[in-house]
Amino acid sequence: EQAWAAEQQPPPEGDPESSGAEEPGGRSGGRRLRTAFSAEQLSTLESSFRRQRYLGAAERRRLAGRMGLSEVQIKTWFQNRRMKLKRQL
């Protein structure tokens, strides 16, 4: 049922999002903080999205390596971008 969970990877060492700090309110949930993409990363992601709305595994790996992001971050960005486009239409 939750096949997506198997695709999640731990954040790279030194990632500010992996601080382990508790969330406000005292909860220490398993959710990551929101990723703040750089302008260059957003430009690359948008350009890839204009070419094709769905990425295959090989393209996702290539983009992740090139941009210094995880494959899960790339996959999630594309999912969110497709939903944004759907809302706009």
Side-chain angles (χ1 to χ4, degrees), residues 4-5 7-9 17 31-35 37 42 45-46 49 53-56 60-61 63-64 69-85 87:
W4 60 269
E7 295 178 24
Q8 289 183 340
Q9 300 171 351
E17 294 178 351
R31 296 183 62 176
R32 290 174 53 99
L33 297 173
R34 182 182 179 109
T35 300
F37 295 103
L42 286 172
L45 288 164
E46 286 289 351
F49 185 79
R53 293 184 187 163
Y54 290 86
L55 288 182
R60 191 170 57 235
R61 273 192 300 275
L63 264 180
L69 297 169
S70 74
E71 289 183 49
V72 174
Q73 288 171 309
I74 301 288
K75 182 185 81 157
T76 303
W77 187 90
F78 267 79
Q79 287 174 335
N80 289 339
R81 186 61 181 85
R82 286 190 298 268
M83 287 301 106
K84 180 180 178 180
L85 178 64
R87 282 192 308 270

